[in-house]
Amino acid sequence: MKTTIHPQTGHGSVPGTSTKQRPVWRTLVGTGIGNAVEWYDWAVYATFTPFLAGALFSKADKTSAVLATLAIFAVGFVARPFGGFLFGWIGDRIGRKSSMTLAVGLASVGSLLIAVAPGYAQVGALASATLLVARLLQGLAHGGELPSSQTYLSEMAPKEKRGLWATLIYTSGTAGILFGTLLGATMTLVLPKVDMQAWGWRVPFAVGAALGLYALYMRSRLHESEVFTGEDAKAKRAPIWPQIVRHRRQALQVIGLTVGLTVVYYIWGVVAPSHAATDLGMDRGAALWASVIGNVVFIAALPFWGRLSDRIGRKKVLLTGAIGSAVLHFPMTWLLKDQPWELAVSMSVMLFFIAASASIVPAVYAELFPTSIRTVGVGIPYSICVAVFGGTAPYLQSWLGSIQLGVLFSVYAVVLLLVSAVFIFTIPETMGKDLAGAADFSVGQNQG
C-alpha cells in the first residue's frame, strides 16, 4: 500500500488516515463532550451548594454549613496541580488521548461518589468526608483535563483557524454549565423544596457520572495528534523538571494570563446565580434562568473573538478582554441587586468581555511551549493558579460579603485583571505559528 510523507513530522502515513482527513466532528465531539462533563460537574456543585450543605453537614448553623461546603469546593482545587502534573506527564509521554480519557473517567467516579453519599443525619461527619474525597478526585481529574484537551485540540487544529478551534474548550465547558443550570432550574420548578433537599440534589451528580461514561467511550475512539506522534522518541523520554525550569518564563506567563481570567470567570460565569440567591435574596429559580441568558451570550461571543484573533492577533483580543472586564466589573457589581433582569444584564455584559480572553487562551498556552512538555508545561502553572485564585474566589466573595466588605473582593478581582493585562505585553504574538516549531521558538525566548 502506498504511503505519503507528512511534511512536518517526516513520518509515513497511509492515505486516508491523516489527521486532516479524519472526521473533524469526531475530534470536536470527543474533545468537547469530555470537557463539558468536567465543567458540568463543577457547575452543579456550585448550583446545588445550599442543598449539599443541608444534606451532608450539620444543620445547627446554616451559614457555617454553606461556608464549609464552599471550603470543600476550594479544597477540590488543591488537587488540581497534582492532576496537572500527573495527567500532563501522561499526555507528554504516553499521549494526549490517553490523558484525556483517564481524566474524564476519574471525574465520573467523583460524581458517582457524591450522588450516592450518605446523609449527615445517617452517618455524621462521614458524609462530609465522602464529599471531600469526591471533590479531591474531581480536582485531580480537572487538573489534567483542561491542559490535555486544549493541547490536543490546538495540535489538531489548522494553524490558520487555531483561535477559532480553541473556542471549543470554553464553548463545550459553558454548554456543560448551561445544561447543569437548566437542570437545576427545571428541578426547582418541578420538585418541592423538601424533595430537593431529601433526594433531588443527587440527580445532577448521577447524570454527570452517566455522561462521563459516554465521554469515555467517545474519547477511546479518537486518534492521537500527529504533532505528538511525530515528536522524536528521545524528546518524549527527556526528564520533565529540567524542561520546566528551562521554560520557567512561559510557565510564569501562563500564571499571569490566567490569574485575572480565572477569578472573574468564576465570579460571573459560575457562582453568580448562587451568590444572587444566597447573599442577595433573589429567587433561586429566577436566578438560574437569568444566568442561562448570560451563558448563552458567552457561548455566542466565543467564536466571534476566536475568529477575530485569527485575523488581528492574540494579544489585541486578550487585552480587550482583560481591560474591558476590569473597567466594567464595578458598574456591573453595583447593578446586581435582587432582580433577575439585573443578573441577566450584568452576567451578559461581563461574560461578553470575559469571552475575549477565554476564547483563545487554550491556543495561546499551546503556542508558548514545545511539544515535549506542552501538556505538563501548561498543566502545572495553570492548575496552581486556578487552585490559589479561582478555587478560593467563591469562598472569599461569600465571606467578605457576610462581614459587609464585599467591595474589597471587587477591588481584588480588578487588580488581578490588571495584572493579567500587564502579562499580555510580555508574551510574543503567536498567531499562525506551527506547533511543531514551537520548541525552537520557546528556547529562543529563554536564551534571550
Side-chain angles (χ1 to χ4, degrees):
M1 184 176 290
K2 182 179 178 181
T3 62
T4 57
I5 303 297
H6 191 277
Q8 290 183 358
T9 66
H11 286 257
S13 61
V14 177
T17 64
S18 70
T19 300
K20 293 181 180 179
Q21 294 174 340
R22 291 168 189 153
V24 170
W25 71 267
R26 184 177 296 174
T27 298
L28 298 179
V29 172
T31 305
I33 185 65
N35 193 55
V37 169
E38 296 268 10
W39 290 47
Y40 166 88
D41 290 339
W42 291 69
V44 294
Y45 187 98
T47 300
F48 287 86
T49 288
F51 298 107
L52 290 169
L56 304 180
F57 291 87
S58 172
K59 297 181 180 179
D61 187 338
K62 292 185 178 180
T63 301
S64 295
V66 169
L67 288 175
T69 308
L70 289 174
I72 287 184
F73 181 84
V75 168
F77 284 80
V78 174
R80 291 180 67 138
F82 299 99
F85 177 78
L86 173 61
F87 289 98
W89 181 89
I90 294 171
D92 289 332
R93 292 297 174 268
I94 301 174
R96 318 319 194 192
K97 172 188 169 181
S98 298
S99 181
M100 293 164 57
T101 304
L102 290 171
V104 76
L106 187 61
S108 297
V109 173
S111 292
L112 183 61
L113 272 179
I114 298 176
V116 300
Y120 189 91
Q122 286 75 44
V123 297
L126 182 60
S128 308
T130 302
L131 180 64
L132 175 62
V133 171
R135 289 295 298 154
L136 287 172
L137 291 177
Q138 289 185 326
L140 194 69
H142 206 180
E145 162 64 26
L146 206 60
S148 299
S149 60
Q150 65 190 18
T151 295
Y152 178 79
L153 188 66
S154 296
E155 290 180 348
M156 297 292 284
K159 66 179 181 180
E160 69 276 6
K161 294 183 179 180
R162 193 177 297 131
L164 177 60
W165 277 48
T167 64
L168 177 67
I169 297 299
Y170 273 85
T171 299
S172 60
T174 307
I177 291 175
L178 195 56
F179 177 61
T181 303
L182 284 170
L183 180 60
T186 302
M187 290 182 67
T188 56
L189 288 176
V190 174
L191 292 178
K193 188 174 181 179
V194 63
D195 288 336
M196 282 293 297
Q197 189 62 67
W199 57 268
W201 62 269
R202 298 180 184 274
V203 173
F205 297 100
V207 170
L211 289 174
L213 290 177
Y214 177 69
L216 192 69
Y217 166 73
M218 288 298 297
R219 287 189 167 180
S220 69
R221 303 179 67 208
L222 294 176
H223 296 281
E224 189 56 80
S225 80
E226 289 182 348
V227 173
F228 175 78
T229 56
E231 178 74 351
D232 182 72
K234 183 178 179 181
K236 294 177 183 178
R237 294 194 300 268
I240 290 287
W241 285 111
Q243 294 187 75
I244 293 176
V245 172
R246 189 163 64 250
H247 296 87
R248 57 190 177 275
R249 176 176 176 175
Q250 286 82 351
L252 182 60
Q253 287 170 334
V254 169
I255 293 175
L257 293 175
T258 305
V259 65
L261 173 63
T262 187
V263 170
V264 77
Y265 177 75
Y266 272 100
I267 293 171
W268 292 104
V270 178
V271 185
S274 181
H275 167 67
T278 303
D279 301 326
L280 303 179
M282 191 179 297
D283 176 75
R284 187 168 301 279
L288 290 174
W289 284 112
S291 73
V292 169
I293 297 174
N295 278 297
V296 168
V297 170
F298 184 62
I299 290 176
L302 287 167
F304 165 77
W305 293 114
R307 287 193 186 95
L308 190 62
S309 79
D310 285 327
R311 292 185 177 184
I312 68 173
R314 315 288 193 227
K315 295 180 69 170
K316 293 177 182 177
V317 172
L318 289 174
L319 277 172
T320 301
I323 299 299
S325 298
V327 169
L328 290 167
H329 180 77
F330 268 104
M332 292 302 103
T333 300
W334 293 330
L335 172 66
L336 179 56
K337 293 182 175 64
D338 59 355
Q339 295 299 311
W341 72 265
E342 297 165 346
L343 178 62
V345 171
S346 59
M347 281 187 69
S348 296
V349 170
M350 289 302 297
L351 286 173
F352 176 78
F353 284 94
I354 292 169
S357 297
S359 62
I360 60 170
V361 285
V364 174
Y365 296 151
E367 290 163 344
L368 288 174
F369 286 90
T371 303
S372 60
I373 60 162
R374 184 165 292 133
T375 310
V376 75
V378 173
I380 293 177
Y382 177 85
S383 298
I384 290 174
C385 182
V386 173
V388 173
F389 296 97
T392 57
Y395 184 88
L396 277 177
Q397 184 181 33
S398 183
W399 176 64
L400 288 173
S402 69
I403 58 175
Q404 308 304 314
L405 290 176
V407 67
L408 290 182
F409 184 77
S410 292
V411 171
Y412 168 74
V414 170
V415 168
L416 293 181
L417 283 167
L418 295 177
V419 169
S420 288
V422 171
F423 268 89
I424 292 168
F425 287 104
T426 72
I427 66 171
E429 178 53 65
T430 55
M431 178 185 67
K433 286 200 169 288
D434 289 321
L435 291 185
D440 295 336
F441 172 81
S442 200
V443 171
Q445 283 295 109
N446 280 289
Q447 290 174 342

